[in-house]
Amino acid sequence: MITEPELVGEPGPDTPPDVVSGFDPGRGPAAGGRRRGLLWAAAAGAVVASAVWATAVFAYGIGGDRKPDPRGYRVESDSCAAVELKALAKAVGEPAAEPSTELDGIEHPALHRIRCTVDFTVAAVRAPDGAEASGWSTGYQASLTAELHKETDPRPEFEASSTLTEIDDVGVDRVERVPDLGDLAYLLIMEDESMRVQVVEGGAVVTLTLSSWMSPPDIDSGSSGPPDAVDRPEMLAYRADLISDTRDVMKALKTG
């Protein structure tokens, strides 16, 4: 539970009046000495506080113009062309077309951002025995968001985002740390069974999301009755592929 900050050294109820108010009703020499001692202590405390503040400014850039390290990343309007999702293509099917660039990109002195999507070839849903599942088909889409922050460090906001319980109106089922990827990385498993890997490295933030959809057979094709229900593809099977492609995308953004 968060409580009110405690003031260190706050006078208590038994503290003599001269410590609380700064003077002694007796006005004796001892009182004057105590006053001088308190003044010297206050001055010394101010010097120490100033030194600590100066150290913080120097080390952390508080109040300065310290900018995040780009770490060699390049995020431009043509960066989507460098996206190759080889692991996912091998797992779920080849991309149906080249990556498409979304229209909500940003090129600003403080932030560059791109969004791009890759649609994979639609395939028939297979039953456990390998047979087609009554005409059902499934497709996958990967979406990439890459940001390069040039003025402010994105890490504090990135760390806070890992505690969200909902993103874009979709609940977050669970969050897992991904080791050895960027400065900090998370795998988010969503309630709609999509997955996303989020990474921060220096001033760059990269998010790669994999989602799927299913299409039932055409009920007007002569079949009698509604189509049989089938299980949705198991998305967690592609977790390693999603992480591997995120790593490759980050490399491409540094060399593209």
Side-chain angles (χ1 to χ4, degrees), residues 118-138:
V118 176
D119 290 306
F120 296 92
T121 304
V122 178
V125 176
R126 298 287 176 176
D129 60 1
E132 291 189 12
S134 304
W136 284 82
S137 58
T138 185

Side-chain angles (χ1 to χ4, degrees), residues 132-247:
E132 291 189 12
S134 304
W136 284 82
S137 58
T138 185
Y140 296 87
Q141 183 184 77
S143 59
L144 170 72
T145 301
E147 298 178 342
L148 185 59
H149 298 254
K150 300 189 172 187
E151 296 293 335
T152 58
D153 184 2
R155 176 153 178 165
E157 183 177 346
F158 179 88
E159 292 178 339
S161 70
S162 69
T163 65
L164 293 174
T165 58
E166 185 177 277
I167 299 176
D168 297 332
D169 298 324
V170 178
V172 178
D173 187 51
R174 68 179 187 271
V175 179
E176 301 175 1
R177 277 289 305 273
V178 180
D180 305 320
L181 184 61
D183 294 332
L184 184 63
Y186 297 105
L187 172 72
L188 280 67
I189 300 163
M190 312 299 290
E191 290 183 352
D192 65 354
E193 300 187 27
S194 64
M195 295 186 298
R196 61 176 64 195
V197 176
Q198 298 181 167
V199 191
V200 62
E201 184 174 19
V205 178
V206 175
T207 302
L208 184 62
T209 303
L210 178 67
S211 56
S212 67
W213 53 265
M214 295 186 66
S215 177
D218 186 0
I219 60 175
D220 295 328
S221 61
S223 59
S224 59
D228 295 331
V230 297
D231 293 332
R232 193 181 185 93
E234 179 54 64
M235 295 291 287
L236 285 176
Y238 309 124
R239 172 169 34 189
D241 302 305
L242 185 64
I243 294 172
S244 176
D245 278 342
T246 302
R247 198 182 305 275

Side-chain angles (χ1 to χ4, degrees), residues 78-100:
D78 61 348
S79 294
C80 285
V83 176
E84 293 184 13
L85 306 178
K86 295 180 179 179
L88 287 173
K90 186 176 180 180
V92 304
E94 291 295 325
E98 294 294 321
S100 59

